[in-house]
Amino acid sequence: MTITGTVKIGSDLIDIAKPCDVVSALKKMQLKLAVGGVRETVRIDGEEVSFMQANDSRLASLIAHYESACARSGDGKKRTRFAKRFRYT
């Protein structure tokens, strides 16, 4: 059995070694969950039941994890430290 570095998040195939790509895919899934776009329908003997299961707090912690990894990797454009210059006159 081989383990690949890609995972399918929603309709996107993402390389987990690129945390910035994972963040954007997870945020898209979070938006779909928030507006009710992810729904499962089960049909049994002519009856149909639709349900939605989401763990938004766990998804938010995953997004925060990958955002920090993205910032550490330098792929993100957000600067966390910068220098200010000043001079005495």
Side-chain angles (χ1 to χ4, degrees):
M1 183 170 121
T2 61
I3 299 175
T4 64
T6 58
V7 66
K8 189 170 184 175
I9 300 175
S11 60
D12 301 329
L13 192 60
I14 304 297
D15 182 9
I16 59 171
K18 297 178 181 178
C20 295
D21 293 346
V22 175
V23 167
S24 63
L26 287 175
K27 284 186 177 183
K28 285 189 336 186
M29 275 309 291
Q30 188 178 36
L31 284 173
K32 284 181 182 180
L33 285 170
V35 297
V38 178
R39 201 173 286 195
E40 292 292 326
T41 303
V42 178
R43 291 185 187 102
I44 300 173
D45 295 331
E47 299 219 9
E48 184 174 303
V49 178
S50 295
F51 64 93
M52 223 169 82
Q53 180 179 0
N55 190 345
D56 193 48
S57 62
R58 180 152 179 179
L59 185 57
S61 69
L62 267 175
I63 290 172
H65 169 75
Y66 279 103
E67 278 179 336
S68 66
C70 177
R72 283 193 311 269
S73 72
D75 291 342
K77 305 299 182 214
K78 184 178 177 183
R79 287 177 45 184
T80 55
R81 295 186 66 187
F82 57 92
K84 290 185 180 181
R85 290 196 264 173
F86 64 94
R87 62 183 156 148
Y88 294 103
T89 54

